Structures are given as C-alpha cells and as structure tokens.
Amino acid sequence: MSTKKSVISKDAIVREGALILGSSIIGSRAFIDTGTVVGYPIRSRIKMLQEGKKGEIESEGATIGDNSVIRSNSIIYERVKIGKNVETGHRILIREDTEIGDNSIIGTDTVIDGRVKIGEFARIETGVYIPPYTIIGKNVFLGPRVVFTNDKYPVSKRLLGAIVEDNVAIGANATIIAGVRIGKGAVIASGAVVTKDVEPNTVVAGVPARKLMSKDEYNRKREKYESEA
C-alpha cells in the first residue's frame, strides 16, 4: 500500500503488506518486503494527529535507492535517505534524518536511532545500536551487538555522538562511549570499552580499551592465521 504522493519505480518490488507513506521514493529494482513501513511519521506529527491539529501532517517520506533490499518488518522513518545497493536484515529500525551510503549492509535487529550518517560500504552486523549524532565513515565493519552511546553522564542534556573514520573494524560486543573519535584503519577488539580517542591504524582491547599492537602487526597475525586454514 502506498500514498498518492509516493513515487515508486515501475520495476520496484513492493510486497503485499508493505506500507509506503508520504512523499517516499522507491528506486529502480528496489525490494520492499512484507510488514515493512517506509516513511513512518516522526513523533511531532503523531502528536499533531492526537491533538486534532490541521495542516501539513503527512509524512515527508523516505528515499530507498536503486537495487536496495529492505527485508520484512523493518521500520524506516521519514527523512531517511538510503543509498543504492543497500541490503538490510529483518526487523531493523532507522529513525529520521539518517543517511546510509551506497553498498552498505545493515544486519537484523539493528537500531539506528536517528540523525546518524553512515558512509559507503559499511557492514553492520546483527543487533547493533547506533544513537543520534553518531558519524560512521566508509568501509567500516561493526560486529554483532556493538553498542554506541551519546551521553557521557546519563541522563544529561548534552548528547555527543562518536566519530568512526574510514576502514575501521569494531569487534562483537564492543562499547563505544560518547564523543570518542576512532581513527582511520583502527581495530577495536571484541568486548572492548572505548572511553578515549583511538589513534589511526592502532589495535585496542580491554576495559577500558588500551593499545594492544600496531595495525601492521595485526595484519601480519591475520595473514598467518588465514594461511593456516
């Protein structure tokens, strides 16, 4: 089902039970699975409906790029821009004012909680949480259950997102504390708690995370491990 203002490419595939709201744009050969909502209205619009106010209360819609795949029971809020060749798992939530670059993968049960920027070729595994104001660069890997935070002193009035530069890899169950910057090419070990900035091409591990080795040493260890297969 779609609203009159939606623009759906003729060769897009929108499965029965999907809901396309507002001025959403569905690109060529995009696939929208059953139970998915594209262009879900922001909180202020819902409040306007509850209060019986008149005016422009229809969703501004979301944009889904060419060849992208949005799997079942996912919710994409209005003012979300998803690039080309993006693929999601099931039951993802992407809140308003989020941008996701081309050729990215968003795993099942991931929550991107709005006002987030994600670069091209990102690979985000199952169950990742990304709060508002987080910035993630290109070719970044986030392992299962990685959690970002944006409040150093909960519950405060100042929210500050983390910045992840290009080519970073973050292992499963790592926690990234509000406001840190992870430099280009860095590696964060599984289970690490990152409380301070991480230098480029550095491997960190532990609670709190500390430098473990250089990226060159890490690459040598990885190559040896792979050769033993």
Side-chain angles (χ1 to χ4, degrees):
M1 177 182 175
S2 61
T3 58
K4 293 180 179 180
K5 291 185 177 182
S6 299
V7 178
I8 301 175
S9 297
K10 292 181 179 179
D11 56 353
I13 301 169
V14 179
R15 296 286 297 275
E16 184 177 355
L19 186 59
I20 313 298
L21 298 176
S23 303
S24 293
I25 300 172
I26 309 298
S28 177
R29 296 179 300 279
F31 176 86
I32 311 298
D33 207 352
T34 186
T36 290
V37 180
V38 177
Y40 192 93
I42 59 175
R43 183 175 182 273
S44 60
R45 295 190 195 278
I46 293 173
K47 296 298 290 184
M48 290 172 67
L49 286 171
Q50 289 178 316
E51 295 166 4
K53 294 181 179 179
K54 297 180 180 180
E56 186 59 50
I57 59 174
E58 188 174 5
S59 163
E60 294 179 39
T63 299
I64 310 296
D66 298 347
N67 297 302
S68 288
V69 174
I70 310 297
R71 287 191 169 84
S72 61
N73 300 305
S74 297
I75 307 295
I76 314 295
Y77 271 61
E78 62 179 309
R79 303 204 304 257
V80 168
K81 295 181 180 179
I82 293 177
K84 299 177 182 178
N85 304 305
V86 172
E87 186 169 343
T88 80
H90 303 273
R91 300 182 302 277
I92 66 160
L93 172 65
I94 304 177
R95 294 286 300 269
E96 66 271 15
D97 300 314
T98 292
E99 298 181 13
I100 298 175
D102 298 345
N103 303 295
S104 293
I105 297 173
I106 313 296
T108 293
D109 291 328
T110 288
V111 175
I112 301 173
D113 222 356
R115 300 175 179 86
V116 169
K117 291 187 178 181
I118 298 172
E120 299 174 355
F121 294 97
R123 182 177 172 184
I124 298 174
E125 299 289 300
T126 296
V128 171
Y129 177 72
I130 306 175
Y133 310 114
T134 305
I135 299 174
I136 295 173
K138 299 178 182 178
N139 195 37
V140 168
F141 173 82
L142 303 179
R145 309 296 175 186
V146 168
V147 173
F148 288 81
T149 69
N150 65 352
D151 190 350
K152 284 188 175 182
Y153 300 98
V155 177
S156 74
K157 296 178 181 179
R158 182 188 179 193
L159 301 181
L160 186 63
I163 298 174
V164 180
E165 296 183 0
D166 297 347
N167 303 310
V168 166
I170 301 179
N173 295 300
T175 300
I176 313 301
I177 300 301
V180 301
R181 178 184 287 268
I182 300 176
K184 185 179 294 186
V187 177
I188 311 302
S190 296
V193 178
V194 180
T195 60
K196 297 180 180 179
D197 291 354
V198 177
E199 295 180 359
N201 298 308
T202 300
V203 180
V204 301
V207 182
R210 294 182 174 87
K211 183 175 180 179
L212 184 64
M213 66 185 80
S214 70
K215 183 67 175 293
D216 287 341
E217 184 179 356
Y218 173 85
N219 286 337
R220 288 195 296 271
K221 288 176 178 288
R222 183 177 65 182
E223 289 168 6
K224 180 181 178 183
Y225 171 76
E226 291 173 342
S227 70
E228 294 171 345

